[in-house]
Amino acid sequence: MRTDQILTRLERVFARLDREPERPAHLQTPQMSRHRVVLLGSTLVFYLAIVVAVLTTSWLVRLDWQIMFFRPYEQWPQVHAFLDYLVVLGQRGPTAVMVAAWLGWRCWRQHTLRPLITLGVALLLLNVTVGSVKLGLGRLGPHYATEIGSAELFAGGDIFPSGHTANAVVTWGILAYLASTVVTRRVLSVVSAVVSLSVGATTVYLGTHWVSDVLLGWSAGLLILLALPWFEPLIARTEAYVFDLRELLRRRAETGRMPAPVVSALIPLLSAGGKWQLRPVDETVEEPVPVPAAAAAGTAHSPAPRPAAHPAAGRPHLIRSERTPVTPVGSRRPAHTERAAARGAAARPIAGG
């Protein structure tokens, strides 16, 4: 007879993780080095400069209009079909699914949830920062512009900064951020840079974004990648919490499958007073002894509680089928001279055999 435990799909995944090593020793968590801090500060200055240039309707806004009137999609129509597919690499849904599948496989092999948690934190930061600026500035796109030379701000739009560009930088850049070796990190950095630049340029070619939108999208995505080491303690605490929660649920599931001890099981029994009580299973319960009708008639006026009969010390308790049947021997009716005295006194219970 097989006694193998039937596991759910999630339990099988965690069981597979348990068979893998805890974590490769060469994997190092990125730190906030001085070089990274300098890059973060420079990118932040560039980000603010673009916002100010658009707010003040400077030369950058004029460049936006010049490229819009140039209409690149009309100048090179032969690449239009290819670029329609290339721009998908910046859409949040498809890219998140592809990258999450790869990082999920890494989590499975390395017994760690850090890659998926890091991706989740990065996408959350992307949605909060980019989304708030989009809605706050409300810029219209080139296809919906109403006034030539205007920055088209605070008009109900949501294209500044470019979400496609920022998402491409973060989603593909996270692969380089989580790379295991220095060589892999450099190769993936180049690949993610090429993909993000291509996606940004494609949005300008298709006329869905201004040039300033793409510049701000690049800087917004790079800011998130450079700031991720500050969130590493949060990522580590989240990973530890998830594994602790898994162990707690596993213990509860194992405890729930264990049968309760028979000794501690309680059953309802009817007590002498007519109330339901809970008694342990191993408690000895005496069977009531039948009382003859004559004795019952004598005790009708003055009932007295019958003491519980217990077996003698050292004598085994017999079940009902093994007891000697109680049969009256002779007449149990008191004599004529003692009948008056018996009426005033309580009748003594007759103990069973």
Side-chain angles (χ1 to χ4, degrees):
M1 179 179 179
R2 296 187 60 183
T3 58
D4 296 342
Q5 183 180 0
I6 301 177
L7 302 177
T8 63
R9 182 175 299 177
L10 182 60
E11 289 174 341
R12 288 198 300 269
V13 171
F14 278 115
R16 180 68 177 86
L17 290 175
D18 290 336
R19 291 196 295 269
E20 295 295 333
E22 280 293 325
R23 188 176 190 159
H26 62 275
L27 288 182
Q28 306 232 350
T29 302
Q31 303 296 326
M32 205 67 186
S33 61
R34 182 179 301 178
H35 177 68
R36 186 181 288 270
V37 172
V38 171
L39 285 177
L40 179 65
S42 304
T43 307
L44 182 59
V45 171
F46 182 72
Y47 183 96
L48 295 176
I50 295 174
V51 174
V52 171
V54 174
L55 288 174
T56 57
T57 317
S58 64
W59 61 271
L60 186 57
V61 176
R62 293 193 296 270
L63 178 64
D64 289 337
W65 280 97
Q66 289 174 2
I67 295 180
M68 193 272 286
F69 285 132
F70 182 69
R71 292 182 174 84
Y73 55 88
E74 293 181 356
Q75 302 297 327
W76 302 284
Q78 61 273 13
V79 295
H80 196 289
F82 170 74
L83 294 181
D84 273 338
Y85 289 102
L86 180 64
V87 78
V88 177
L89 296 178
Q91 289 183 357
R92 192 162 305 149
T95 56
V97 171
M98 290 186 289
V99 174
W102 168 256
L103 296 181
W105 182 83
R106 283 192 55 185
C107 291
W108 186 34
R109 293 292 299 172
Q110 298 174 355
H111 190 244
T112 176
L113 296 177
R114 178 175 170 263
L116 284 178
I117 297 176
T118 305
L119 175 63
V121 171
L123 292 180
L124 179 62
L125 292 174
L126 175 67
N127 291 331
V128 172
T129 57
V130 174
S132 59
V133 175
K134 276 176 172 287
L135 298 177
L137 295 179
R139 191 181 190 187
L140 295 175
H143 293 312
Y144 302 95
T146 57
E147 183 180 353
I148 297 177
S150 171
E152 300 295 335
L153 294 172
F154 311 110
D158 58 351
I159 55 99
F160 183 69
S162 171
H164 273 69
T165 306
N167 184 72
V169 173
V170 172
T171 306
W172 301 109
I174 204 72
L175 298 178
Y177 179 83
L178 296 171
S180 303
T181 61
V182 177
V183 176
T184 306
R185 182 177 294 112
R186 289 176 180 175
V187 172
L188 291 178
S189 298
V190 174
V191 172
S192 62
V194 171
V195 172
S196 58
L197 289 173
S198 301
V199 170
T202 301
T203 59
V204 175
Y205 167 85
L206 296 174
T208 57
H209 280 286
W210 308 98
V211 174
S212 55
D213 298 342
V214 174
L215 294 177
L216 196 65
W218 281 332
S219 56
L222 189 57
L223 282 175
I224 294 173
L225 289 179
L226 292 174
L228 274 180
W230 282 337
F231 296 89
E232 285 295 339
L234 175 63
I235 294 171
R237 288 195 299 268
T238 304
E239 181 184 16
Y241 174 78
V242 171
F243 278 112
D244 291 342
L245 182 61
R246 179 198 63 167
E247 293 299 327
L248 178 61
L249 294 177
R250 179 180 294 177
R251 292 195 200 100
R252 288 184 179 179
E254 292 175 355
T255 305
R257 285 192 289 265
M258 293 178 60
V262 179
V263 179
S264 63
L266 301 177
I267 58 174
L269 295 175
L270 185 61
S271 65
K275 297 180 180 179
W276 288 92
Q277 295 181 352
L278 294 179
R279 296 181 181 178
V281 176
D282 56 348
E283 182 180 343
T284 302
V285 180
E286 291 295 330
E287 293 289 338
V289 179
V291 180
T299 60
H301 299 283
S302 57
R306 186 176 67 85
H310 296 280
R315 178 182 174 185
H317 180 68
L318 301 177
I319 62 177
R320 186 169 185 175
S321 62
E322 298 176 353
R323 293 176 184 170
T324 304
V326 179
T327 57
V329 180
S331 175
R332 293 181 181 267
R333 187 173 184 180
H336 180 72
T337 56
E338 300 175 355
R339 187 178 303 173
R343 290 177 181 177
R348 297 180 60 187
I350 300 175

